[in-house]
Amino acid sequence: MLYQQIAMNKRRTGYVMAGFGILVLALGAAIGDVFFGSWQMGCGVAAVVTVVYMLIMIGNSTNVVMSMNHAREIQNEQQAPQLWHLIEDMALVGQVPMPRVFIIEDASPNAFATGNDPKHAAVAVTTGILERLNREELEGVIGHEISHVRNYDIRLQTIALALAAAIGFLVNFASNWFWWGAGSRRRDNDDDSAGNIIGIVVSILLIILAPLAASIAQMALSRNREYLADAASVELTRNPQGLISALEKIDDSQPMTAADPNSSALYISDPFKQKRKMADLFATHPPIADRIARLEKM
């Protein structure tokens, strides 16, 4: 069951990332068609913008994310012995390098991992999680975060953030260009055939809806990787009950005050405890009850 779930979630993640890439190229094609009369040029511009954003995000992700969440780095084991040793042990079991360790001053129990790859990873936990969880529960949480590192989820999330940022930039570019009249001049040079009008309408709709689609894709990716990390944590600890108990305590807590909204998807649980509808379509995390139900079957 465990390995089947891991394989299934990896396939789903591949589908989401492929959809993300198609969305970026489709948006570029739409912008190129409406404003330049060349969808190929639009795709090329979208590809260049995406690469630039990826290089920026990958080069600075850890320090930027930790700064946004007001995390302080732990330099040695004397500063937080239990946390340091648990992360060290889980990294050894997961066969990844020891990540950098950070603590966030917040009473709400939570944690996340970030970085570009296992060699440049970092794990952050709140003071609340250190106070409320026992060693077995904390081991399950750390196993979850080390699994994000081992499975390269941290890189996937960084890429997803870069893709979402690139989409936002392209949409803003299109909006500004339209208001300056470039779109009108482009359309004035076209004939009034029904096919051309339909193409313009479809392109404009895609430009308008692309940010929403990007948000949904990013949230779907985050939810999928949480399920995978839960399963992989059990693989590392051989103890699903530890993570189950930890998730129950995390769920039964107040929202965080130190978390940054732009990085909320990184946390093991939604730091703002938002209640959502529409089958959690816009949730960054799967329901805790669903996660616990899956863990109980392992």
Side-chain angles (χ1 to χ4, degrees), residues 11 19 31 91 93 106 112 120 123 140 143 149 154 157 181 199 221 224:
R11 287 195 300 271
I31 291 174
V93 174
D106 197 298
F112 71 85
H120 304 90
V123 173
V149 174
I154 51 176
Q157 289 290 1
L221 177 65
N224 194 48

Side-chain angles (χ1 to χ4, degrees), residues 6-288:
I6 291 175
M8 178 181 66
N9 284 326
K10 284 183 176 180
R11 287 195 300 271
R12 289 178 177 174
T13 298
Y15 299 151
V16 173
M17 290 303 297
F20 233 138
I22 292 171
L23 177 61
V24 171
L25 292 177
L27 176 59
I31 291 174
D33 181 60
V34 172
F35 299 103
F36 306 112
S38 171
W39 65 267
Q40 296 96 331
M41 180 185 293
C43 286
V45 170
V48 171
V49 169
T50 300
V51 169
V52 170
Y53 267 89
M54 282 188 180
L55 291 175
I56 293 173
M57 294 293 291
I58 289 175
N60 301 281
S61 60
T62 299
N63 291 333
V64 170
V65 170
M66 291 304 176
S67 176
M68 290 191 304
N69 288 275
H70 311 288
R72 59 180 174 87
E73 186 167 7
I74 301 302
Q75 302 288 349
N76 54 66
E77 61 181 297
Q78 284 74 31
Q79 293 178 277
Q82 183 185 46
L83 175 63
W84 186 279
H85 291 148
L86 279 175
I87 293 177
E88 191 174 47
D89 291 346
M90 287 294 99
L92 182 62
V93 174
Q95 298 181 328
V96 297
M98 175 72 176
R100 294 165 66 187
V101 182
F102 290 79
I103 291 181
I104 301 170
E105 297 290 337
D106 197 298
S108 180
N110 224 314
F112 71 85
T114 189
N116 306 325
D117 54 56
K119 291 183 179 179
H120 304 90
V123 173
V125 303
T126 63
T127 51
I129 208 169
L130 295 175
E131 294 168 359
R132 292 195 57 184
L133 271 58
N134 60 37
R135 182 181 176 84
E136 182 183 37
E137 295 161 346
L138 189 57
E139 183 180 64
V141 170
I142 298 303
H144 175 101
E145 300 307 333
I146 290 298
S147 296
H148 277 312
V149 174
R150 187 179 67 158
N151 297 335
Y152 280 78
D153 294 344
I154 51 176
R155 176 176 291 178
L156 280 171
Q157 289 290 1
T158 298
I159 292 173
L161 286 171
L163 288 170
I167 288 172
F169 172 84
L170 291 170
V171 170
N172 287 334
F173 168 82
S175 300
N176 293 331
W177 197 268
F178 180 83
W179 286 113
W180 280 100
S184 298
R185 291 194 294 272
R186 159 73 181 100
R187 291 192 295 274
D188 289 342
N189 294 328
D190 290 330
D191 59 58
D192 294 328
S193 66
N196 184 66
I197 293 174
I198 292 173
I200 291 175
V201 171
V202 170
S203 296
I204 293 175
L205 284 175
L206 180 58
I207 293 170
I208 294 172
L209 296 176
L212 177 61
S215 296
I216 294 174
Q218 190 175 7
M219 292 168 185
L221 177 65
S222 175
R223 294 194 299 270
N224 194 48
R225 304 311 290 185
E226 291 304 311
Y227 283 130
L228 175 58
D230 285 346
S233 176
V234 175
E235 182 185 12
L236 295 181
T237 64
R238 303 296 177 182
N239 177 23
Q241 190 55 48
L243 184 55
I244 290 172
S245 181
L247 289 173
E248 290 173 342
K249 288 185 178 181
I250 291 171
D251 191 41
D252 183 26
S253 62
Q254 296 298 314
M256 287 185 63
T257 58
D260 175 74
N262 294 319
S263 54
S264 61
L266 298 176
Y267 283 86
I268 190 172
S269 177
D270 179 12
F272 303 114
K273 310 293 182 185
Q274 299 183 70
K275 303 298 181 183
R276 302 183 185 269
K277 298 179 181 179
M278 296 181 64
D280 295 312
L281 179 62
F282 298 99
T284 56
H285 296 76
I288 293 290

